[in-house]
Amino acid sequence: KLRIVSGVQPTGYLHIGNYLGALHQWVLHQEQYENLFFVVDLHAITVPQDPKGLADATLSAAALFLACGIDPSKSTIFIQSHVKAHVELCWLLNCVTPVNWLEKMIQFKEKARKQGENVSVGLFDYPVLMASDVLLYQADLVPVGEDQQQHLELVRSISKRFNSLYGKKKKVLKEPKPLIQGNTSRIMALDDGTCKMSKSSSNDMSRINLLDPPHVIKRKIQRCKTDSFMGIVSDPVGRPECTNLLNIYAAFTNQSLTKVEAECREMSWGQFKGVLTDAVTTFLDPIQKKYYQLREDEDFLKQVLKNGSEYASSIAQVTMQQVKDCMGFIRTM
Ligand code: TYM
């Protein structure tokens, strides 16, 4: 079986963009592949985090993996910092990654601009830690949203470079491919159809969180940005907000864009917002119920995470040994 690896940052609570761009793909392919999914808490601290908030967001993300349908008997679920090899491999890869590759990263440039003088070395190094996450497990495929495409190209470049330096006889690290799915790979913000929906936006009205109660979802959809054209029709350039909402509607009702366009073409904005609200709340209801069950008694969740990190560590150790051997590190006596 091919191996799938992917992660989510606990920098806030997960939203429908994370679900449609990533988690939904994870669940769909669960049977077909061998899967490792993790909450990347070490990535989260590349920007300031409140410790209590980080702890809760980490467990919340892990519980949402399960609530969204990741089955621990088919997939390995764990917390990144519980497998120490992520950090160890990151250091080794730091030493083969040119600084100018990292300087080109769009997400770094954007986040650095917002942070002003307080940009940490960790924020700059973020993509190398991400490369470690993936290469440590010799992943074949990495299902992510479109915003991670550049990071994954870098992961491939780092892998190639490592192999060309140290793997002349036999490739040491795999070169994983991104798995990015069509219409839902970039869900846009509710307040601006040209910006990505994001956990870090200061405006909570810009996103629908997976844990928002129905009345909040209703209010967010009622107040979201619309346009003054007639009919509900997709037009990515001229009507980005309308296109985005149609995509969300199609995804949550499990229909094609053409089908929902035929259904909604004649609707007013008011009518469309009504059916969209129903579709989203109906879809999220069982996920939220499962989530609160898991958080009420966390023993099960913690056991899943413990098993997950033990299994992941056992795979990681094999890669670490190969990497260290070929670089010339002496084994422990
Ligand atoms: P993060 O936490 O920002 O997002 C988690 C996943 O959700 C996707 N995503 C979106 N998809 C569609 N529309 C959106 N508006 C949207 N916003 C986010 C992301 O593409 C991602 O797949 N660097 C990663 C986390 C990471 C990782 C990894 C991923 C760390 N190590 C190794 C894969 C493999 C990130 O910040 O994702």
Side-chain angles (χ1 to χ4, degrees):
K1 276 190 181 178
L2 295 180
R3 186 178 286 158
I4 278 215
V5 166
S6 197
V8 170
Q9 286 198 78
T11 43
Y13 294 90
L14 304 196
H15 52 69
I16 59 171
N18 299 128
Y19 177 78
L20 296 175
L23 268 82
H24 182 61
Q25 298 354 302
W26 303 359
V27 175
L28 279 183
H29 303 302
Q30 200 172 197
E31 313 268 341
Q32 190 181 346
Y33 300 117
E34 189 195 336
N35 319 282
L36 293 133
F37 301 124
F38 37 75
V39 185
V40 294
D41 51 351
L42 296 167
H43 277 104
I45 62 161
T46 55
V47 296
Q49 297 294 334
D50 155 59
K52 273 212 189 84
L54 179 69
D56 190 62
T58 302
L59 286 177
S60 168
L64 273 172
F65 288 6
L66 297 178
C68 287
I70 302 294
D71 176 350
S73 71
K74 297 181 185 134
S75 302
T76 303
I77 304 164
F78 63 101
I79 296 172
Q80 182 193 34
S81 65
H82 292 179
V83 180
K84 303 208 170 23
H86 290 248
V87 176
E88 193 180 5
L89 183 59
C90 180
W91 176 255
L92 303 181
L93 297 180
N94 276 337
C95 297
V96 305
T97 306
V99 167
N100 69 35
W101 288 6
L102 299 183
E103 282 169 346
K104 291 189 191 123
M105 293 294 112
I106 298 164
Q107 286 204 351
F108 170 72
K109 288 195 262 188
E110 279 172 1
K111 286 190 190 168
R113 199 176 330 116
K114 280 190 207 146
Q115 297 239 325
E117 301 210 324
N118 292 323
V119 177
S120 67
V121 175
L123 187 66
F124 186 61
D125 201 28
Y126 180 113
V128 183
L129 182 59
M130 184 161 160
S132 312
D133 295 344
V134 174
L135 301 178
L136 195 51
Y137 302 104
Q138 307 283 10
D140 296 288
L141 295 166
V142 185
V144 285
E146 198 190 78
D147 61 331
Q148 296 301 316
Q149 179 140 20
Q150 194 192 26
H151 283 155
L152 279 166
E153 277 162 22
L154 183 86
V155 173
R156 289 170 62 82
S157 303
I158 293 177
S159 172
K160 273 199 198 107
R161 185 162 173 111
F162 188 91
N163 287 329
S164 76
L165 290 169
Y166 296 108
K168 294 226 167 60
K169 283 188 216 120
K170 188 172 161 270
K171 268 194 182 175
V172 188
L173 297 172
K174 269 205 180 155
E175 278 166 36
K177 292 200 179 73
L179 197 64
I180 297 174
Q181 305 270 351
N183 292 342
T184 57
S185 67
R186 192 171 175 83
I187 299 296
M188 307 313 257
L190 297 182
D191 57 345
D192 180 351
T194 63
C195 282
K196 170 187 88 158
M197 186 178 286
S198 136
K199 283 186 224 113
S200 58
S201 163
S202 57
N203 180 11
D204 191 57
M205 295 298 279
S206 70
R207 59 183 165 259
I208 298 174
N209 301 304
L210 294 180
L211 297 174
D212 280 341
H215 71 275
V216 173
I217 297 177
K218 186 170 176 203
R219 196 174 64 230
K220 286 181 174 175
I221 293 179
Q222 258 165 7
R223 301 213 187 142
C224 74
K225 188 170 174 201
T226 57
D227 56 36
S228 48
F229 296 99
M230 288 286 285
I232 304 298
V233 183
S234 101
D235 170 3
V237 181
R239 304 185 66 185
E241 286 80 17
C242 189
T243 308
N244 184 45
L245 295 174
L246 271 170
N247 269 327
I248 294 174
Y249 182 58
F252 281 120
T253 53
N254 196 19
Q255 302 180 83
S256 68
L257 191 58
T258 332
K259 184 116 184 280
V260 294
E261 266 193 313
E263 178 193 339
C264 305
R265 184 172 289 277
E266 308 289 325
M267 287 183 187
S268 65
W269 272 109
Q271 280 171 311
F272 177 59
K273 285 180 171 187
V275 294
L276 177 63
T277 304
D278 283 346
V280 177
T281 50
T282 307
F283 189 92
L284 293 183
D285 179 62
I287 292 178
Q288 297 183 352
K289 288 207 172 88
K290 180 97 195 284
Y291 172 85
Y292 288 111
Q293 266 171 16
L294 287 160
R295 292 300 307 263
E296 207 165 288
D297 172 8
E298 288 184 342
D299 287 355
F300 176 71
L301 179 63
K302 289 186 173 158
Q303 190 60 47
V304 166
L305 293 171
K306 181 168 184 281
N307 297 345
S309 65
E310 282 168 7
Y311 179 67
S313 297
S314 71
I315 304 178
Q317 224 188 331
V318 177
T319 310
M320 275 320 294
Q321 196 59 65
Q322 289 165 345
V323 165
K324 287 167 92 177
D325 281 351
C326 72
M327 290 180 91
F329 287 95
I330 302 287
R331 290 196 179 189
T332 40
M333 319 278 170

